[in-house]
Amino acid sequence: MEILADKIRPQKIDEVIGQSHLIGKDKILSNLVLNKKLFSMILYGKPGIGKTSIAAALVKELNIKYKFMNATINNKADFDGAILEAKMNGEMVLIIDEIHRMNKDKQDILLPFIENGTVILIGLTTSNPYYKINPAIRSRCQIFELHELNLDDIIEGLKRACHYLKDIVIDEETLKYIAKLSSGDMRSALNLLEMGYYSTSNQKVDLEVIKNINSKPVFFHDKDEDGHYDVLSAFQKSIRGSDVDASLHYLARLIEAEDLDSIYRRLSVIAYEDIGLANPGIGPRLYAAIEAAERVGLPEARIPLGEIVIEMALSPKSNSAVLAIDEALNDIHKGSTGNVPNHIKKSSPNYLYPHNYSNDWVKQDYLPANLMGRKYYNGKNNKVEMSLNKLHNEMRSDNK
């Protein structure tokens, strides 16, 4: 039972939807077909944007013998067999999905044959190959990043698919709704269209039919891949940048994925890394919000989380504490430690107890001699830290 997404897969490179930076007049992949030449490459990008379609179109249009494989499903024996087949044919394209999961044994088998041209590799991955793929494989391939498909691209793909669905009745509003639900994933859009078509008795696909199947947006959010961490990164950077609306958007995506643990952890980091001493009371308020969210659960958890995210986004920011501790750690890593001064060693009779002095402060040295005068903390220009610095300077002045 071949699915619709496979039925309409492009047979030629110029039939691929989107990726205009790689496909079209005088573009790289189109010119490879024009010149009847193929090189090893890695195609990476989000799911459903055309990686497999491009690979299939290239080998079919160039009429090159090829084999589809998966780095997680196919074992070492499968790869041995593919290499033997390539040797017998003199040349073969191996299209390997999830190539970032290929283990060292499989890589070692392939490397020499990619090197001598017996195997032309087309690797497909949702992960950034510069981080996730072995450098030995990566150095033998050209890397092409695929761009996200826009709404018009998805609608175009849906309209093409309608020609394969006999007597389908569907309007522009429904096509647009399906496209929006897909969030740029062509495969998701086609699967939803096909499900809608076969779930009716009269082949009429309207908004009600689609909403009964799926009313929740599909967005790229996989806990095991880059998409999950991209959303978390955007969440923190939006709060750090004081963009309250963007902060709420990414919070909503994380809530929709029901990923409360990641929300709690990331907000805890933000409270101390990005807001810090500019608003030191944010930590206790955050933990109160987390406690409330934990007690009520979803969907009500969205309320205390939404409130604290708004407060954190609009809060003054300071990373002075992060910079200070990192500077101190940097000295430790470089070996700049030195001996603890004798007068603050355990049970030293020469220690001056600050509480016995006015303002609970007395002048004495605390840093090792080789770090005397070293300054790690530099307060930022916000109300709280300016007040702390003023108090600190007054104490020193009173006790000189």
Side-chain angles (χ1 to χ4, degrees), residues 29-47:
L29 298 185
S30 295
N31 282 342
L32 289 180
V33 173
L34 183 67
N35 293 313
K36 301 186 184 305
K37 185 67 177 178
L38 193 60
F39 299 91
S40 289
M41 66 181 71
I42 295 169
L43 305 175
Y44 83 99
K46 293 183 177 180

Side-chain angles (χ1 to χ4, degrees), residues 55-56 59 66-70 93-97 120 122 124:
V59 293
Y66 67 94
K67 192 177 189 70
F68 268 102
M69 304 190 77
N70 186 295
V93 176
L94 285 187
I95 302 172
I96 303 179
D97 199 10
I120 297 173
I122 301 182
L124 313 178

Side-chain angles (χ1 to χ4, degrees), residues 97-111:
D97 199 10
E98 297 191 82
I99 192 171
H100 61 283
R101 297 184 183 277
M102 181 180 287
N103 63 32
K104 189 176 185 301
D105 286 347
K106 295 172 187 175
Q107 291 176 27
D108 290 344
I109 294 170
L110 283 179
L111 282 173

